[in-house]
Amino acid sequence: MSDRCAQLQAEIKSSKQIHITSQWLNYAGIQEYFAEELVISVKAGTLICEIQAALAINNQSLPFYVKNPAQSIGAAYSNGAQDLSDSVLGVQIIDGEGELLNFGGQVMKNVAGYDVARMLVGSAGKLAAITQISFKVMPSNYVKNLKPSFKTIQHSALRLEIETRLKTVFDPKGIFK
């Protein structure tokens, strides 16, 4: 575990309320990149343009639409849409109790229960602090002109119920707003 993750854990444990931003997180960089496996793991504060540049060296791309490459991958994950969710392999978070948790991994097939890594996509920082994300990547020639996926603003009763239950699991003290 990095020193910054330990600092974030301590800050969350001692806080009553936190609004997560990339500046607050201050945790960026490519953690691991296996070009031959088509997998990259990045810290949540890493700018998407930096990820794209690293992937381009091996003629690879992120397989989801990116509106603003100058934003962090954590911000894109937090506001994410279906196409981004489909690319997530794993995630590392710090929950509302300050515990560092890992879900998923760096493999394409993960059948060990609920897919928490994908369930947290679009959670807008209300459930946990996302510290690291693993994605599958694609050869650039397979990723042509990506278009934004359709994302509704309205939330169904089922989605609101799921978010409420997830909040009780990941943020029982209500730290993340």
Side-chain angles (χ1 to χ4, degrees), residues 153-166:
I153 302 299
Q154 294 179 329
H155 298 298
S156 69
L158 176 61
R159 179 186 170 118
L160 294 174
E161 177 65 23
I162 290 170
E163 287 177 356
T164 300
R165 290 183 183 201
L166 286 172

Side-chain angles (χ1 to χ4, degrees), residues 9 29 37 66 108 110 126 130 148 150-151 153:
Q9 284 181 274
E37 299 290 330
V66 175
M108 298 295 177
N110 180 6
K126 295 179 182 176
I130 310 301
F150 179 73
K151 183 177 177 184
I153 302 299

Side-chain angles (χ1 to χ4, degrees), residues 33 35-36 38 52 55-56 58-62 137-140:
Y33 174 36
E36 66 283 355
L38 299 173
Q52 290 172 328
L55 293 173
N58 292 300
N59 203 25
Q60 295 177 346
S61 300
L62 293 169
V137 299
M138 301 289 286
S140 294

